[in-house]
Amino acid sequence: MVVPSTTPVRQGTAASHGGGIPTVDMSAPGGRGALSRQVARACAEHGFFRAVSHGVPPGPAARLDAATAAFFALAPHDKQRAGPPSPLGYGCRSIGFNGDAGELEYLLLHASPAAVAHRARSIDTDDPSRFSTVVNDYVGAVRQLACEILDLLGEGLGLKDPGSFSKLITDTDSDSLLRINHYPPACTIHKLDHDDQCKMKSIVRTKNGNGLNPSAGARIGFGEHSDPQIISLLRANDVNGLQVLLPNSDGKEVWVQVPADPSAFFVNVGDLLQALTNGKLVSVRHRVIASACRPRLSTIYFAAPPLHARISALPETITADSPCRYRPFTWTEYKKTMYSLRLSHSRLDLFQVGDDDSSNVGKGEQE
């Protein structure tokens, strides 16, 4: 287990890494049973963990970083050929369709090989197949890790079919995405102001007991949100910026800085996984602060089901003491709701069932 020497470690629990961030050694030094319990506990208590010794070779990541860094170094008019985001493609500052903004530029790609090949023609005009190969190799490696984590979760939760989660993202019609975010150094942030879309400014806000108050001197790179999909795997360079909202010892939610670790993957529970587990696993809220003097490059794989997939709490997660919390919905329905709301909205709350409905929903799902 890779942990600070001062951190106590108990079998079956995840070790802490910087400010209470749990770390899970995916090489399973204590055996698969212990590993599945570690993963399940980290996702239940934090909705987030740092995966080390994960088995993803460094080559695909290094090649993707080089390819995307070369793209972001292009002249503005060359990058704009891959945009504007709809929501896929190249975007700058503007996030979504409802006024959210951050100090970043990004590429958002559908993870299917056909979609990557189509978008590559506007990203690498010299050799589109070169970019497609790099992206597909990376997606293949990270999808395998995502499936392993989801299967471990299924085992740790005691599901009858531990592969219930991973089957959703390995379907040929999976709606998984790959997002590459480039946060320029704070001292050169003005270089993004190359069109009307990029002339928006933003301010970071922090959560405390009195709600949201501005924090002086900080720039928001990507605002507070939860990920809507099943699970997200984030990898970044050695520049800090990622923060997660976690309860402290007093039970109050505080923003915790996640120490950068280019060799690790940071795993987020998404909204769909919270719904599938009837709230046993928590979709973590997080954000990125872009105040560093060096550029930050991050890549996130969002593992999602097919658009037609029906999302409902698994029977094992519904009991008399824990009735069904969310009504069934499709991924298409949830995406439409997501696109109609601001980034920080707690979308899953809109799918909660009332007290009169919960027993009927739970009964129907178990039958």
Side-chain angles (χ1 to χ4, degrees):
M1 181 74 67
V2 181
V3 296
S5 59
T6 58
T7 302
V9 182
R10 299 192 308 273
Q11 187 173 11
T13 65
S16 176
H17 170 73
I21 302 299
T23 293
V24 175
D25 185 338
M26 297 297 294
S27 67
R32 188 172 178 88
L35 177 59
S36 67
R37 292 189 293 271
Q38 290 170 9
V39 171
R41 179 164 182 169
C43 291
E45 295 183 352
H46 301 275
F48 178 85
F49 68 90
R50 169 179 170 261
V52 299
S53 301
H54 43 70
V56 176
R63 289 189 289 272
L64 180 63
D65 287 351
T68 53
F71 172 80
F72 289 124
L74 293 173
H77 67 273
D78 291 327
K79 289 184 285 190
Q80 289 167 6
R81 286 198 300 258
S86 59
L88 302 178
Y90 171 74
C92 177
R93 289 239 173 92
S94 181
I95 302 171
F97 307 114
N98 301 296
D100 289 295
E103 300 289 358
L104 82 163
E105 56 181 342
Y106 60 87
L107 281 171
L108 183 60
L109 310 172
H110 196 283
S112 72
V116 171
H118 174 74
R119 186 65 62 174
R121 294 199 294 266
S122 59
I123 295 173
D124 187 346
T125 56
D126 292 335
D127 188 355
S129 64
R130 174 176 57 190
F131 185 81
S132 295
T133 299
V134 167
V135 171
N136 293 334
D137 287 349
Y138 182 83
V139 168
V142 178
R143 182 194 295 118
Q144 185 175 345
L145 175 59
C147 288
E148 175 68 2
I149 291 170
L150 291 173
D151 286 345
L152 287 165
L153 277 172
E155 295 169 23
L157 293 172
L159 300 183
K160 293 178 181 177
D161 180 5
S164 298
F165 302 137
S166 63
K167 288 176 182 176
L168 289 170
I169 72 168
T170 53
D171 190 291
T172 54
D173 295 327
S174 166
D175 191 43
S176 298
L177 303 176
L178 187 70
R179 184 182 189 102
I180 304 99
N181 292 331
H182 173 238
Y183 303 90
C187 55
T188 59
I189 208 75
H190 66 279
K191 290 184 178 179
L192 283 182
D193 292 324
H194 51 67
D195 60 12
D196 290 340
Q197 174 183 310
C198 292
K199 290 179 180 176
M200 293 176 287
K201 300 296 179 184
S202 51
I203 186 169
V204 64
R205 295 179 179 273
T206 56
K207 183 168 285 190
N208 59 24
N210 299 319
L212 293 172
N213 292 321
S215 176
R219 291 179 181 270
I220 189 164
F222 208 107
E224 175 186 347
H225 65 287
S226 64
D227 292 337
Q229 293 88 356
I230 294 175
I231 199 170
S232 308
L233 274 63
L234 180 148
R235 182 187 53 80
N237 62 2
D238 60 349
V239 177
N240 285 332
L242 178 63
Q243 298 181 351
V244 292
L245 192 62
L246 299 176
N248 63 11
S249 58
D250 298 325
K252 295 181 180 179
E253 290 186 326
V254 296
W255 287 109
V256 177
Q257 179 74 42
V258 179
D261 183 352
S263 67
F265 279 91
F266 294 93
V267 181
N268 296 340
V269 170
D271 295 348
L272 296 191
L273 192 53
Q274 180 170 327
L276 287 164
T277 60
N278 201 32
K280 293 184 183 299
L281 304 185
V282 182
S283 181
V284 67
R285 300 188 73 79
H286 51 288
R287 68 183 185 185
V288 174
I289 303 303
S291 297
C293 291
R294 293 188 294 132
R296 184 174 192 269
L297 186 69
S298 65
T299 303
I300 311 99
Y301 173 71
F302 299 101
L307 290 170
H308 59 76
R310 188 169 183 268
I311 305 301
S312 58
L314 296 174
E316 298 96 319
T317 67
I318 303 171
T319 65
D321 295 330
S322 182
C324 192
R325 294 176 56 181
Y326 308 103
R327 68 171 178 82
F329 54 87
T330 65
W331 173 226
T332 293
E333 182 183 1
Y334 198 77
K335 281 186 73 173
K336 288 181 178 178
T337 301
M338 173 188 70
Y339 286 137
S340 71
L341 302 170
R342 295 295 297 270
L343 187 64
S344 61
H345 198 287
S346 298
R347 325 170 193 94
L348 201 52
D349 290 348
L350 301 178
F351 293 81
Q352 289 182 333
V353 297
D355 293 337
D356 295 336
D357 300 327
S358 60
S359 59
N360 291 332
V361 172
K363 183 178 179 181
E365 291 310 301
Q366 293 180 72
E367 293 175 349

mmCIF file of all heavy atoms in Angstrom, residues 174-212:
data_model
loop_
_atom_site.group_PDB
_atom_site.id
_atom_site.type_symbol
_atom_site.label_atom_id
_atom_site.label_comp_id
_atom_site.label_asym_id
_atom_site.label_seq_id
_atom_site.Cartn_x
_atom_site.Cartn_y
_atom_site.Cartn_z
ATOM 1 N N SER A 174 -22.111 2.200 -25.885
ATOM 2 C CA SER A 174 -21.752 3.025 -24.728
ATOM 3 C C SER A 174 -21.573 4.485 -25.141
ATOM 4 O O SER A 174 -21.008 4.789 -26.198
ATOM 5 C CB SER A 174 -20.458 2.506 -24.097
ATOM 6 O OG SER A 174 -19.916 3.449 -23.195
ATOM 7 N N ASP A 175 -22.044 5.388 -24.293
ATOM 8 C CA ASP A 175 -21.982 6.823 -24.568
ATOM 9 C C ASP A 175 -20.818 7.474 -23.803
ATOM 10 O O ASP A 175 -20.898 8.643 -23.438
ATOM 11 C CB ASP A 175 -23.310 7.472 -24.165
ATOM 12 C CG ASP A 175 -23.449 8.902 -24.660
ATOM 13 O OD1 ASP A 175 -23.089 9.174 -25.824
ATOM 14 O OD2 ASP A 175 -23.906 9.751 -23.872
ATOM 15 N N SER A 176 -19.756 6.731 -23.590
ATOM 16 C CA SER A 176 -18.611 7.243 -22.831
ATOM 17 C C SER A 176 -17.902 8.368 -23.588
ATOM 18 O O SER A 176 -17.931 8.418 -24.827
ATOM 19 C CB SER A 176 -17.619 6.115 -22.548
ATOM 20 O OG SER A 176 -18.222 5.104 -21.758
ATOM 21 N N LEU A 177 -17.270 9.251 -22.826
ATOM 22 C CA LEU A 177 -16.602 10.425 -23.386
ATOM 23 C C LEU A 177 -15.175 10.525 -22.883
ATOM 24 O O LEU A 177 -14.819 9.962 -21.836
ATOM 25 C CB LEU A 177 -17.349 11.711 -22.997
ATOM 26 C CG LEU A 177 -18.825 11.843 -23.372
ATOM 27 C CD1 LEU A 177 -19.379 13.139 -22.800
ATOM 28 C CD2 LEU A 177 -19.002 11.789 -24.876
ATOM 29 N N LEU A 178 -14.367 11.273 -23.622
ATOM 30 C CA LEU A 178 -13.014 11.619 -23.192
ATOM 31 C C LEU A 178 -12.894 13.136 -23.249
ATOM 32 O O LEU A 178 -13.180 13.748 -24.276
ATOM 33 C CB LEU A 178 -11.964 10.977 -24.101
ATOM 34 C CG LEU A 178 -10.511 11.139 -23.631
ATOM 35 C CD1 LEU A 178 -10.253 10.300 -22.374
ATOM 36 C CD2 LEU A 178 -9.534 10.737 -24.734
ATOM 37 N N ARG A 179 -12.477 13.715 -22.144
ATOM 38 C CA ARG A 179 -12.318 15.166 -22.067
ATOM 39 C C ARG A 179 -10.874 15.501 -21.737
ATOM 40 O O ARG A 179 -10.301 14.938 -20.792
ATOM 41 C CB ARG A 179 -13.255 15.744 -21.011
ATOM 42 C CG ARG A 179 -13.222 17.262 -20.938
ATOM 43 C CD ARG A 179 -14.120 17.803 -19.845
ATOM 44 N NE ARG A 179 -14.201 19.251 -19.972
ATOM 45 C CZ ARG A 179 -15.213 19.914 -20.488
ATOM 46 N NH1 ARG A 179 -16.274 19.266 -20.910
ATOM 47 N NH2 ARG A 179 -15.190 21.227 -20.585
ATOM 48 N N ILE A 180 -10.276 16.416 -22.488
ATOM 49 C CA ILE A 180 -8.915 16.887 -22.219
ATOM 50 C C ILE A 180 -8.995 18.378 -21.926
ATOM 51 O O ILE A 180 -9.436 19.164 -22.770
ATOM 52 C CB ILE A 180 -7.959 16.622 -23.403
ATOM 53 C CG1 ILE A 180 -7.962 15.131 -23.767
ATOM 54 C CG2 ILE A 180 -6.544 17.067 -23.032
ATOM 55 C CD1 ILE A 180 -8.842 14.787 -24.948
ATOM 56 N N ASN A 181 -8.630 18.761 -20.709
ATOM 57 C CA ASN A 181 -8.685 20.152 -20.272
ATOM 58 C C ASN A 181 -7.287 20.748 -20.195
ATOM 59 O O ASN A 181 -6.382 20.140 -19.618
ATOM 60 C CB ASN A 181 -9.336 20.260 -18.894
ATOM 61 C CG ASN A 181 -10.811 19.908 -18.901
ATOM 62 O OD1 ASN A 181 -11.488 20.087 -19.907
ATOM 63 N ND2 ASN A 181 -11.305 19.408 -17.786
ATOM 64 N N HIS A 182 -7.140 21.931 -20.775
ATOM 65 C CA HIS A 182 -5.872 22.664 -20.700
ATOM 66 C C HIS A 182 -6.126 23.975 -19.966
ATOM 67 O O HIS A 182 -6.914 24.814 -20.428
ATOM 68 C CB HIS A 182 -5.335 22.943 -22.106
ATOM 69 C CG HIS A 182 -4.127 23.835 -22.114
ATOM 70 N ND1 HIS A 182 -4.091 25.039 -22.792
ATOM 71 C CD2 HIS A 182 -2.913 23.698 -21.513
ATOM 72 C CE1 HIS A 182 -2.902 25.602 -22.611
ATOM 73 N NE2 HIS A 182 -2.185 24.816 -21.842
ATOM 74 N N TYR A 183 -5.482 24.121 -18.799
ATOM 75 C CA TYR A 183 -5.601 25.334 -17.993
ATOM 76 C C TYR A 183 -4.305 26.126 -18.149
ATOM 77 O O TYR A 183 -3.269 25.736 -17.591
ATOM 78 C CB TYR A 183 -5.815 24.988 -16.518
ATOM 79 C CG TYR A 183 -7.027 24.122 -16.255
ATOM 80 C CD1 TYR A 183 -6.936 22.727 -16.255
ATOM 81 C CD2 TYR A 183 -8.268 24.690 -16.001
ATOM 82 C CE1 TYR A 183 -8.039 21.929 -16.016
ATOM 83 C CE2 TYR A 183 -9.385 23.901 -15.755
ATOM 84 C CZ TYR A 183 -9.259 22.528 -15.761
ATOM 85 O OH TYR A 183 -10.366 21.732 -15.519
ATOM 86 N N PRO A 184 -4.320 27.237 -18.906
ATOM 87 C CA PRO A 184 -3.088 28.017 -19.100
ATOM 88 C C PRO A 184 -2.598 28.609 -17.779
ATOM 89 O O PRO A 184 -3.372 28.763 -16.828
ATOM 90 C CB PRO A 184 -3.526 29.124 -20.066
ATOM 91 C CG PRO A 184 -4.769 28.607 -20.714
ATOM 92 C CD PRO A 184 -5.442 27.781 -19.674
ATOM 93 N N PRO A 185 -1.319 28.950 -17.707
ATOM 94 C CA PRO A 185 -0.801 29.595 -16.500
ATOM 95 C C PRO A 185 -1.586 30.863 -16.202
ATOM 96 O O PRO A 185 -1.992 31.587 -17.116
ATOM 97 C CB PRO A 185 0.656 29.907 -16.851
ATOM 98 C CG PRO A 185 0.991 28.977 -17.970
ATOM 99 C CD PRO A 185 -0.272 28.767 -18.732
ATOM 100 N N ALA A 186 -1.805 31.150 -14.916
ATOM 101 C CA ALA A 186 -2.596 32.321 -14.537
ATOM 102 C C ALA A 186 -1.992 33.609 -15.072
ATOM 103 O O ALA A 186 -2.714 34.537 -15.440
ATOM 104 C CB ALA A 186 -2.720 32.387 -13.014
ATOM 105 N N CYS A 187 -0.661 33.673 -15.161
ATOM 106 C CA CYS A 187 -0.016 34.902 -15.607
ATOM 107 C C CYS A 187 -0.198 35.155 -17.100
ATOM 108 O O CYS A 187 0.027 36.264 -17.577
ATOM 109 C CB CYS A 187 1.472 34.868 -15.270
ATOM 110 S SG CYS A 187 2.328 33.434 -15.925
ATOM 111 N N THR A 188 -0.619 34.133 -17.864
ATOM 112 C CA THR A 188 -0.812 34.309 -19.313
ATOM 113 C C THR A 188 -2.241 34.004 -19.715
ATOM 114 O O THR A 188 -2.511 33.683 -20.853
ATOM 115 C CB THR A 188 0.140 33.402 -20.106
ATOM 116 O OG1 THR A 188 -0.098 32.032 -19.745
ATOM 117 C CG2 THR A 188 1.584 33.760 -19.825
ATOM 118 N N ILE A 189 -3.170 34.104 -18.759
ATOM 119 C CA ILE A 189 -4.546 33.712 -19.027
ATOM 120 C C ILE A 189 -5.166 34.531 -20.140
ATOM 121 O O ILE A 189 -6.069 34.093 -20.839
ATOM 122 C CB ILE A 189 -5.389 33.834 -17.732
ATOM 123 C CG1 ILE A 189 -6.564 32.847 -17.753
ATOM 124 C CG2 ILE A 189 -5.885 35.248 -17.497
ATOM 125 C CD1 ILE A 189 -6.202 31.437 -17.504
ATOM 126 N N HIS A 190 -4.664 35.781 -20.345
ATOM 127 C CA HIS A 190 -5.228 36.636 -21.376
ATOM 128 C C HIS A 190 -5.055 36.066 -22.776
ATOM 129 O O HIS A 190 -5.747 36.460 -23.702
ATOM 130 C CB HIS A 190 -4.583 38.026 -21.316
ATOM 131 C CG HIS A 190 -3.125 38.015 -21.674
ATOM 132 N ND1 HIS A 190 -2.153 37.661 -20.773
ATOM 133 C CD2 HIS A 190 -2.481 38.299 -22.841
ATOM 134 C CE1 HIS A 190 -0.962 37.737 -21.364
ATOM 135 N NE2 HIS A 190 -1.128 38.117 -22.606
ATOM 136 N N LYS A 191 -4.150 35.118 -22.939
ATOM 137 C CA LYS A 191 -3.914 34.561 -24.268
ATOM 138 C C LYS A 191 -5.116 33.774 -24.788
ATOM 139 O O LYS A 191 -5.192 33.473 -25.962
ATOM 140 C CB LYS A 191 -2.672 33.667 -24.246
ATOM 141 C CG LYS A 191 -1.376 34.454 -24.062
ATOM 142 C CD LYS A 191 -0.165 33.547 -24.133
ATOM 143 C CE LYS A 191 1.139 34.340 -23.997
ATOM 144 N NZ LYS A 191 2.321 33.477 -24.045
ATOM 145 N N LEU A 192 -6.038 33.436 -23.902
ATOM 146 C CA LEU A 192 -7.231 32.727 -24.350
ATOM 147 C C LEU A 192 -8.257 33.668 -24.953
ATOM 148 O O LEU A 192 -9.225 33.240 -25.553
ATOM 149 C CB LEU A 192 -7.874 31.983 -23.177
ATOM 150 C CG LEU A 192 -7.193 30.687 -22.733
ATOM 151 C CD1 LEU A 192 -7.979 30.065 -21.601
ATOM 152 C CD2 LEU A 192 -7.055 29.715 -23.880
ATOM 153 N N ASP A 193 -8.082 34.978 -24.777
ATOM 154 C CA ASP A 193 -9.084 35.935 -25.231
ATOM 155 C C ASP A 193 -9.000 36.148 -26.739
ATOM 156 O O ASP A 193 -8.764 37.247 -27.216
ATOM 157 C CB ASP A 193 -8.918 37.273 -24.512
ATOM 158 C CG ASP A 193 -9.247 37.166 -23.039
ATOM 159 O OD1 ASP A 193 -10.177 36.410 -22.714
ATOM 160 O OD2 ASP A 193 -8.580 37.825 -22.231
ATOM 161 N N HIS A 194 -9.224 35.101 -27.530
ATOM 162 C CA HIS A 194 -9.071 35.237 -28.967
ATOM 163 C C HIS A 194 -10.393 35.310 -29.716
ATOM 164 O O HIS A 194 -10.413 35.450 -30.917
ATOM 165 C CB HIS A 194 -8.199 34.118 -29.534
ATOM 166 C CG HIS A 194 -8.622 32.739 -29.127
ATOM 167 N ND1 HIS A 194 -9.793 32.164 -29.520
ATOM 168 C CD2 HIS A 194 -7.989 31.828 -28.350
ATOM 169 C CE1 HIS A 194 -9.872 30.936 -29.014
ATOM 170 N NE2 HIS A 194 -8.806 30.709 -28.299
ATOM 171 N N ASP A 195 -11.522 35.215 -29.009
ATOM 172 C CA ASP A 195 -12.806 35.448 -29.666
ATOM 173 C C ASP A 195 -13.838 35.798 -28.612
ATOM 174 O O ASP A 195 -13.563 35.788 -27.417
ATOM 175 C CB ASP A 195 -13.249 34.227 -30.506
ATOM 176 C CG ASP A 195 -13.420 32.967 -29.674
ATOM 177 O OD1 ASP A 195 -13.427 33.065 -28.422
ATOM 178 O OD2 ASP A 195 -13.543 31.899 -30.270
ATOM 179 N N ASP A 196 -15.045 36.110 -29.053
ATOM 180 C CA ASP A 196 -16.073 36.554 -28.116
ATOM 181 C C ASP A 196 -16.357 35.501 -27.055
ATOM 182 O O ASP A 196 -16.633 35.803 -25.909
ATOM 183 C CB ASP A 196 -17.372 36.871 -28.868
ATOM 184 C CG ASP A 196 -17.234 38.115 -29.725
ATOM 185 O OD1 ASP A 196 -16.315 38.914 -29.462
ATOM 186 O OD2 ASP A 196 -18.057 38.273 -30.639
ATOM 187 N N GLN A 197 -16.289 34.236 -27.464
ATOM 188 C CA GLN A 197 -16.579 33.156 -26.541
ATOM 189 C C GLN A 197 -15.607 33.150 -25.368
ATOM 190 O O GLN A 197 -15.932 32.719 -24.273
ATOM 191 C CB GLN A 197 -16.484 31.825 -27.293
ATOM 192 C CG GLN A 197 -16.618 30.592 -26.423
ATOM 193 C CD GLN A 197 -16.446 29.335 -27.237
ATOM 194 O OE1 GLN A 197 -17.079 29.196 -28.258
ATOM 195 N NE2 GLN A 197 -15.613 28.441 -26.796
ATOM 196 N N CYS A 198 -14.392 33.632 -25.589
ATOM 197 C CA CYS A 198 -13.355 33.551 -24.582
ATOM 198 C C CYS A 198 -13.178 34.835 -23.785
ATOM 199 O O CYS A 198 -12.155 35.011 -23.141
ATOM 200 C CB CYS A 198 -12.029 33.166 -25.230
ATOM 201 S SG CYS A 198 -12.034 31.488 -25.846
ATOM 202 N N LYS A 199 -14.124 35.748 -23.849
ATOM 203 C CA LYS A 199 -13.965 37.006 -23.142
ATOM 204 C C LYS A 199 -14.756 37.063 -21.846
ATOM 205 O O LYS A 199 -14.998 38.126 -21.309
ATOM 206 C CB LYS A 199 -14.357 38.173 -24.057
ATOM 207 C CG LYS A 199 -13.357 38.372 -25.188
ATOM 208 C CD LYS A 199 -13.736 39.508 -26.103
ATOM 209 C CE LYS A 199 -12.695 39.650 -27.222
ATOM 210 N NZ LYS A 199 -13.072 40.686 -28.199
ATOM 211 N N MET A 200 -15.168 35.892 -21.377
ATOM 212 C CA MET A 200 -15.863 35.837 -20.110
ATOM 213 C C MET A 200 -14.880 35.610 -18.996
ATOM 214 O O MET A 200 -13.924 34.863 -19.148
ATOM 215 C CB MET A 200 -16.900 34.713 -20.123
ATOM 216 C CG MET A 200 -18.044 34.967 -21.074
ATOM 217 S SD MET A 200 -19.162 33.583 -21.141
ATOM 218 C CE MET A 200 -18.181 32.414 -22.065
ATOM 219 N N LYS A 201 -15.095 36.238 -17.862
ATOM 220 C CA LYS A 201 -14.256 36.063 -16.693
ATOM 221 C C LYS A 201 -15.068 35.339 -15.635
ATOM 222 O O LYS A 201 -16.290 35.392 -15.599
ATOM 223 C CB LYS A 201 -13.771 37.417 -16.153
ATOM 224 C CG LYS A 201 -12.960 38.199 -17.178
ATOM 225 C CD LYS A 201 -11.677 37.480 -17.536
ATOM 226 C CE LYS A 201 -10.883 38.252 -18.568
ATOM 227 N NZ LYS A 201 -9.681 37.535 -19.001
ATOM 228 N N SER A 202 -14.385 34.698 -14.728
ATOM 229 C CA SER A 202 -15.079 33.964 -13.679
ATOM 230 C C SER A 202 -14.387 34.172 -12.357
ATOM 231 O O SER A 202 -13.236 34.594 -12.294
ATOM 232 C CB SER A 202 -15.127 32.472 -14.021
ATOM 233 O OG SER A 202 -13.852 32.004 -14.346
ATOM 234 N N ILE A 203 -15.096 33.880 -11.304
ATOM 235 C CA ILE A 203 -14.556 34.042 -9.959
ATOM 236 C C ILE A 203 -14.780 32.758 -9.198
ATOM 237 O O ILE A 203 -15.817 32.117 -9.330
ATOM 238 C CB ILE A 203 -15.219 35.233 -9.232
ATOM 239 C CG1 ILE A 203 -14.532 35.488 -7.889
ATOM 240 C CG2 ILE A 203 -16.707 35.019 -9.027
ATOM 241 C CD1 ILE A 203 -14.943 36.788 -7.239
ATOM 242 N N VAL A 204 -13.818 32.343 -8.431
ATOM 243 C CA VAL A 204 -13.951 31.114 -7.668
ATOM 244 C C VAL A 204 -14.794 31.398 -6.429
ATOM 245 O O VAL A 204 -14.731 32.472 -5.857
ATOM 246 C CB VAL A 204 -12.571 30.551 -7.259
ATOM 247 C CG1 VAL A 204 -11.841 31.471 -6.327
ATOM 248 C CG2 VAL A 204 -12.739 29.179 -6.629
ATOM 249 N N ARG A 205 -15.600 30.407 -6.074
ATOM 250 C CA ARG A 205 -16.400 30.542 -4.870
ATOM 251 C C ARG A 205 -16.133 29.346 -3.980
ATOM 252 O O ARG A 205 -15.933 28.241 -4.444
ATOM 253 C CB ARG A 205 -17.901 30.623 -5.213
ATOM 254 C CG ARG A 205 -18.243 31.882 -6.005
ATOM 255 C CD ARG A 205 -19.719 31.921 -6.361
ATOM 256 N NE ARG A 205 -20.032 33.142 -7.104
ATOM 257 C CZ ARG A 205 -20.345 34.288 -6.541
ATOM 258 N NH1 ARG A 205 -20.359 34.381 -5.232
ATOM 259 N NH2 ARG A 205 -20.624 35.351 -7.267
ATOM 260 N N THR A 206 -16.146 29.586 -2.682
ATOM 261 C CA THR A 206 -15.893 28.515 -1.741
ATOM 262 C C THR A 206 -17.113 28.305 -0.884
ATOM 263 O O THR A 206 -17.876 29.234 -0.618
ATOM 264 C CB THR A 206 -14.686 28.839 -0.839
ATOM 265 O OG1 THR A 206 -14.940 30.095 -0.188
ATOM 266 C CG2 THR A 206 -13.425 28.947 -1.658
ATOM 267 N N LYS A 207 -17.308 27.084 -0.435
ATOM 268 C CA LYS A 207 -18.471 26.754 0.363
ATOM 269 C C LYS A 207 -18.078 26.744 1.830
ATOM 270 O O LYS A 207 -17.095 26.139 2.230
ATOM 271 C CB LYS A 207 -19.016 25.381 -0.050
ATOM 272 C CG LYS A 207 -20.278 24.984 0.695
ATOM 273 C CD LYS A 207 -20.923 23.780 0.053
ATOM 274 C CE LYS A 207 -21.615 24.139 -1.229
ATOM 275 N NZ LYS A 207 -22.436 23.041 -1.755
ATOM 276 N N ASN A 208 -18.878 27.441 2.635
ATOM 277 C CA ASN A 208 -18.682 27.392 4.076
ATOM 278 C C ASN A 208 -20.049 27.366 4.734
ATOM 279 O O ASN A 208 -21.066 27.187 4.085
ATOM 280 C CB ASN A 208 -17.844 28.592 4.562
ATOM 281 C CG ASN A 208 -18.486 29.926 4.220
ATOM 282 O OD1 ASN A 208 -19.698 30.014 4.027
ATOM 283 N ND2 ASN A 208 -17.659 30.958 4.149
ATOM 284 N N GLY A 209 -20.079 27.565 6.038
ATOM 285 C CA GLY A 209 -21.337 27.481 6.757
ATOM 286 C C GLY A 209 -22.341 28.524 6.332
ATOM 287 O O GLY A 209 -23.542 28.375 6.539
ATOM 288 N N ASN A 210 -21.900 29.611 5.741
ATOM 289 C CA ASN A 210 -22.796 30.678 5.323
ATOM 290 C C ASN A 210 -23.147 30.602 3.841
ATOM 291 O O ASN A 210 -23.709 31.536 3.286
ATOM 292 C CB ASN A 210 -22.156 32.043 5.619
ATOM 293 C CG ASN A 210 -21.899 32.229 7.100
ATOM 294 O OD1 ASN A 210 -22.739 31.852 7.908
ATOM 295 N ND2 ASN A 210 -20.747 32.781 7.447
ATOM 296 N N GLY A 211 -22.768 29.507 3.182
ATOM 297 C CA GLY A 211 -23.070 29.374 1.762
ATOM 298 C C GLY A 211 -21.862 29.632 0.913
ATOM 299 O O GLY A 211 -20.754 29.222 1.240
ATOM 300 N N LEU A 212 -22.056 30.327 -0.191
ATOM 301 C CA LEU A 212 -20.981 30.540 -1.155
ATOM 302 C C LEU A 212 -20.479 31.971 -1.068
ATOM 303 O O LEU A 212 -21.245 32.922 -1.215
ATOM 304 C CB LEU A 212 -21.484 30.258 -2.569
ATOM 305 C CG LEU A 212 -21.838 28.796 -2.854
ATOM 306 C CD1 LEU A 212 -22.508 28.681 -4.196
ATOM 307 C CD2 LEU A 212 -20.612 27.930 -2.794
#
